[in-house]
Amino acid sequence: MSTLSDLVYAQGRSRSEEVEWLHRLAGDGQLLADLAFADIVIWVPTADDSFVAVAHTRPSGAATLFYRDIVSDRVRPQWATQVRDAFVSGRIVDSASPDWFEETPTRVRAVPIVRRSGETVETVGVLTRHTNLGETRTPSRQQITFNDCADDLFGMIASGEFPDLATPTAPRRGAPRASDGLIRIDPAGVVTFASPNALSAFNRMGFDDELEGESLVEVTTRILTTRREFDESLPLVVTGRAPWRADIEAQGVTVSLRTIPLRDRGTRIGAIVLCRDVTELRHQEQELITKDATIREIHHRVKNNLQTVASLLRIQARRSHSDEAREALTQAMRRVSAIAVVHDTLSEGLTQSVDFDDVFARVLKLVAEVAAAPNTRARTRSTGRFGTLPSAYATPLALALTELVTNAVEHGLAGQEGDVEIIADRTDERLEVRVRDNGVGLPEGLVGRGLGTQIVRTLIQGELGGTIDWHTLVGSGTEVTIEIPLRYIERMEG
């Protein structure tokens, strides 16, 4: 499905400032639709003097007119003149008589979308409000207030005062909506209307009176008398002077507020304050934060425990009088250390994926001891990129590559100087890794049957669903090729 940006750019309008303005306005489409009890559509001009819909929002508290999405549709003939007039004149244009849409009487309002930036004032599109007159009933006081708020916002859109780019982007989870609770305040900050949901939210925080006629600042101050700390942006929000968001917390209840200052040709005429009880949502967020911190701490402790085990194995290997036992303990120490590297990486972040290039760079350092063995000098280098991989994939791959690189140094370059190269080649479909050395090589088809080889086969074929192949290079040396289908990894994640 095409995004708003794609649709706007497709009309030959390529300025990012326009797109950002339209994005911000479309982001408040649900608010406008709910306040107006009508469908809201955003149109942009095309190269052939028509208009195309780039956003459409249905009201949550009224019947929609459009049962099919009209985004990417061209403006219908019955609206074309009205939309064009609003765009050219820069003024709001209302339909002179009811407009019939699929046998339903409607009222259409076309609002020019004006972008104001410094001295620059330009019309970048048109917003239309489509009101269903087929379900008209005597409006309640709340509906009248909501419609008045919508009209004020439409006027601000036509004068380039809404949306306000100073408003924080990417609203926090649980951002309040009109249906959650709406308070309207006058320029002095006195409440002139409070919806039942808004009043209930403040009642749950300990305010047991009517909001209307009260100063919202004073009400908030009374609620927060026992709290020493509160959101620094709260004064701006409750006075209606800035388009900002803040949370109020009292008596175990958290209410999120969002203020939209209202202006008429630059003069402040009050503000809309949206409020929502987000107590449960904030509790869930806190639980997630605690869970993430716990997971990181677990990975950190596992890493520390594995490093302790590796240290004990190293000490035991040094005290061993048997070469065979010493070698077995050293290999076990190296394998445990490789697993510890993965857990160390996981403890540094909160995602379920890891940058395996960073992991492998640290794993390579584990072979330094082996490479420094008497009469052996190995140079290791890695080329290509592994990219980001699921955490469940990191441990078996890191352990397998540790075995392969160690084998290349210990056996391929035993008693000599040489190179070990690790080449990663990743596509959307697969990950291929080649471990190549220029050592003595091995007879074609004769692959070792030791524990290291068994571990590598089990990890690559059993856990990762991949393939592994050993073969001698022309001249000298050995190359091991691992290929793992990435779709198999996706199934692991699922």
Side-chain angles (χ1 to χ4, degrees):
M1 183 177 178
S2 299
T3 64
L4 183 148
S5 300
D6 295 334
L7 291 169
V8 174
Y9 285 131
Q11 313 313 315
R13 311 181 70 86
S14 58
R15 288 184 300 165
S16 59
E17 297 86 354
E18 279 189 31
V19 176
E20 172 65 15
W21 193 270
L22 292 169
H23 260 299
R24 286 296 189 96
L25 184 58
D28 276 316
Q30 191 63 60
L31 171 64
L32 294 170
D34 290 345
L35 290 176
F37 296 91
D39 287 87
I40 299 295
V41 183
I42 295 178
W43 309 87
V44 296
T46 63
D48 58 356
D49 198 32
S50 183
F51 290 84
V52 66
V54 296
H56 171 214
T57 309
R58 296 175 175 86
S60 57
T64 181
L65 285 171
F66 308 105
Y67 298 99
R68 298 180 184 83
D69 199 343
I70 66 170
V71 171
S72 77
D73 288 359
R74 284 177 172 264
V75 65
R76 294 176 181 245
Q78 63 263 42
W79 310 322
T81 300
Q82 187 178 351
V83 170
R84 187 175 296 106
D85 287 347
F87 183 81
V88 173
S89 68
R91 296 193 303 270
I92 297 176
V93 180
D94 289 308
S95 54
S97 59
D99 174 73
W100 289 84
F101 178 78
E102 295 184 358
E103 300 182 355
T104 301
T106 68
R107 180 182 296 113
V108 180
R109 165 170 284 192
V111 180
I113 302 172
V114 176
R115 187 181 77 88
R116 185 182 297 272
S117 178
E119 299 298 323
T120 303
V121 179
E122 60 178 340
T123 303
V124 298
V126 175
L127 177 149
T128 53
R129 180 196 67 184
H130 302 261
T131 306
N132 187 341
L133 299 179
E135 297 188 357
T136 301
R137 59 183 181 274
T138 303
S140 63
R141 180 167 175 254
Q142 175 170 308
Q143 185 172 351
I144 292 172
T145 302
F146 276 32
N147 283 330
D148 289 343
C149 291
D151 289 340
D152 289 333
L153 291 177
F154 291 147
M156 291 170 63
I157 292 171
S159 62
E161 297 174 294
F162 187 83
D164 193 322
L165 297 186
T167 305
T169 57
R172 190 177 183 184
R173 184 168 173 250
R177 303 157 298 191
S179 57
D180 296 320
L182 182 144
I183 298 171
R184 176 147 185 168
I185 59 177
D186 64 16
V190 176
V191 177
T192 60
F193 173 82
S195 70
N197 286 344
L199 181 59
S200 296
F202 275 79
N203 289 161
R204 285 192 289 272
M205 290 189 292
F207 180 73
D208 56 3
D209 204 346
E210 294 294 328
L211 279 173
E212 293 185 20
E214 296 280 352
S215 166
L216 191 58
V217 174
E218 294 178 3
V219 170
T220 306
T221 302
R222 271 183 270 170
I223 291 174
L224 299 176
T225 50
T226 60
R227 293 187 61 85
R228 296 181 180 179
E229 297 181 359
F230 54 86
D231 197 325
E232 294 180 356
S233 61
L234 185 58
L236 294 174
V237 173
V238 295
T239 57
R241 296 179 179 275
W244 215 253
R245 299 185 180 95
D247 283 359
I248 301 178
E249 185 176 352
Q251 298 190 1
V253 175
T254 303
V255 173
S256 180
L257 303 179
R258 178 196 174 186
T259 291
I260 304 173
L262 298 177
R263 301 181 182 87
D264 183 8
R265 299 175 184 175
T267 301
R268 194 164 65 88
I269 60 174
I272 299 170
V273 181
L274 304 175
C275 53
R276 178 180 183 181
D277 186 338
V278 293
T279 306
E280 186 61 31
L281 288 174
R282 295 296 181 259
H283 284 168
Q284 291 175 4
E285 289 176 353
Q286 188 59 46
E287 289 175 358
L288 288 174
I289 291 172
T290 302
K291 178 182 176 182
D292 288 337
T294 301
I295 291 173
R296 286 201 296 181
E297 179 62 20
I298 289 173
H299 282 305
H300 183 70
R301 292 187 183 186
V302 169
K303 181 261 298 186
N304 288 344
N305 291 339
L306 289 171
Q307 288 180 336
T308 299
V309 172
S311 297
L312 293 174
L313 291 171
R314 183 184 293 106
I315 293 171
Q316 190 65 42
R318 289 173 178 172
R319 295 172 64 90
S320 177
H321 299 292
S322 166
D323 291 340
E324 184 177 352
R326 185 183 304 110
E327 175 63 21
L329 289 169
T330 300
Q331 291 180 356
M333 178 271 295
R334 185 172 54 250
R335 290 160 186 154
V336 171
S337 297
I339 299 173
V341 166
V342 176
H343 281 280
D344 188 30
T345 304
L346 292 173
S347 69
E348 296 173 357
L350 298 176
T351 65
Q352 295 301 311
S353 299
V354 295
D355 181 354
F356 196 80
D357 293 288
D358 177 58
V359 171
F360 186 62
R362 298 164 69 179
V363 166
L364 270 182
K365 296 179 182 178
L366 296 176
V367 301
E369 245 181 77
V370 179
N375 303 319
T376 299
R377 184 180 177 186
R379 296 177 294 271
T380 60
R381 68 175 183 274
S382 177
T383 58
R385 286 189 59 81
F386 292 91
T388 301
L389 298 173
S391 57
Y393 177 55
T395 298
L397 182 58
L399 192 53
L401 291 178
T402 300
E403 292 293 328
L404 293 175
V405 174
T406 301
N407 286 342
V409 175
E410 283 186 327
H411 304 297
L413 301 178
Q416 67 182 57
E417 180 177 343
D419 299 308
V420 178
E421 183 179 12
I422 303 90
I423 306 165
D425 180 19
R426 177 170 178 167
T427 67
D428 293 337
E429 301 293 328
R430 62 167 181 79
L431 172 66
E432 181 184 272
V433 185
R434 287 175 288 161
V435 180
R436 175 191 301 165
D437 68 73
N438 58 356
V440 298
L442 53 83
E444 191 70 34
L446 296 181
V447 180
R449 297 183 179 180
L451 178 60
T453 302
Q454 294 178 25
I455 289 174
V456 172
R457 286 191 186 279
T458 299
L459 293 171
I460 299 301
Q461 297 176 345
E463 294 197 27
L464 299 177
T467 60
I468 183 168
D469 177 57
W470 283 264
H471 61 275
T472 300
L473 297 174
V474 177
S476 66
T478 302
E479 182 176 83
V480 183
T481 302
I482 296 172
E483 187 169 323
I484 302 168
L486 296 186
R487 288 179 179 174
Y488 182 77
I489 299 172
E490 292 175 357
R491 291 199 298 272
M492 288 175 57
E493 290 183 291

